[in-house]
Amino acid sequence: MAKKVIVLDAGHGGKDVGSLWHNGNFEKDYNLKIVTAVSNLLSTVNIMCFITRITDTTLDNDDRIKYLNDFSGNNDLVDVYSFHTNAFDKKTEGTEILLSQSNTVDTEWSKAFLNEYCKLFKFTNRGIVRKKGSNGTDYYYMHRLTESNVKVKIIEFGFGDCLSDMVKLINNFEAIAFFTAQQIAYRY
């Protein structure tokens, strides 16, 4: 019997540190911490999640995609929530969700998540981003290389290199984890 599978992805890891935060910390550490917290919270309401990494290990793009695609054969839908923080110029701020060009299933959920998250935690709402590569396919490898029933939502919680966003991410960590778990749980 086909079913839904939830996968929480802690972006980056190991040698791939992701962005450098304003305070010198690495994105990979926040991503792992929030995935662990959200997974633990979901387990308290009997929602089982798979996690791409549970320690600070390097998971290259091919391994990450293989892990996600391995679920697709026997399931109606593989829901992936990939957790990240952004970085740009130390001034840009806000939260966004990156969706595949073909992913219309998650549009309403993503809009609602962003609206409520940004209102609660005082982040700038940067909206839903769908980005094309130069050849017209999805720009982000997680969207481009996953199977058609693997729906990836890349949540950029804020800009770690921006002091105001970083402070909100750190000071509201538990509430952000709870909110994120709650929003995911509402779907199942």
Side-chain angles (χ1 to χ4, degrees):
M1 176 178 207
K3 60 182 178 175
K4 276 190 183 181
V5 171
I6 302 169
V7 179
L8 301 180
D9 174 51
H12 306 286
K15 296 182 298 187
D16 177 8
V17 299
S19 64
L20 178 64
W21 278 31
H22 185 80
N23 62 0
N25 290 343
F26 296 119
E27 173 188 2
K28 67 175 184 168
D29 299 322
Y30 188 86
N31 298 344
L32 182 58
K33 186 176 171 185
I34 193 116
V35 157
T36 302
V38 170
S39 174
N40 289 339
L41 288 164
L42 288 172
S43 72
T44 66
V45 292
N46 296 317
I47 295 177
M48 188 180 87
C49 303
F50 295 91
I51 301 174
T52 55
R53 66 181 180 91
I54 58 172
T55 61
D56 184 22
T57 56
T58 302
L59 187 60
D60 71 24
N61 294 352
D62 292 338
D63 290 338
R64 197 176 303 263
I65 292 301
K66 181 179 179 337
Y67 182 83
L68 299 177
N69 285 337
D70 282 349
F71 287 111
S72 68
N74 299 319
N75 301 289
D76 288 334
L77 180 65
V78 180
D79 254 345
V80 179
Y81 300 87
S82 184
F83 296 164
H84 292 265
T85 62
N86 253 325
F88 185 60
D89 61 3
K90 299 184 181 185
K91 294 180 234 157
T92 302
E93 59 188 19
T95 303
E96 60 194 16
I97 296 181
L98 313 174
L99 294 179
S100 168
Q101 297 173 72
S102 62
N103 184 350
T104 57
V105 172
D106 293 312
T107 302
E108 289 308 311
W109 179 87
S110 296
K111 283 181 187 176
F113 180 97
L114 286 167
N115 288 336
E116 192 63 23
Y117 176 88
C118 292
K119 183 174 139 189
L120 280 172
F121 302 111
K122 310 288 189 251
F123 283 91
T124 300
N125 187 341
R126 296 173 53 88
I128 294 171
V129 175
R130 290 183 165 93
K131 190 172 178 182
K132 287 183 186 179
S134 58
N135 62 358
T137 62
D138 278 303
Y139 176 82
Y140 298 100
Y141 79 92
M142 288 185 81
H143 294 144
R144 188 176 62 250
L145 301 175
T146 49
E147 303 289 336
S148 62
N149 66 330
V150 177
K151 300 299 181 201
V152 179
K153 291 150 288 300
I154 302 172
I155 302 172
E156 298 278 2
F157 285 101
F159 280 76
D161 69 336
C162 172
L163 179 60
S164 62
D165 270 13
M166 183 199 71
V167 168
K168 288 182 256 186
L169 289 167
I170 292 170
N171 290 345
N172 296 299
F173 176 79
E174 290 175 7
I176 289 170
F178 182 81
F179 172 82
T180 304
Q182 187 179 51
Q183 295 305 303
I184 293 171
Y186 283 154
R187 299 187 84 186
Y188 307 99

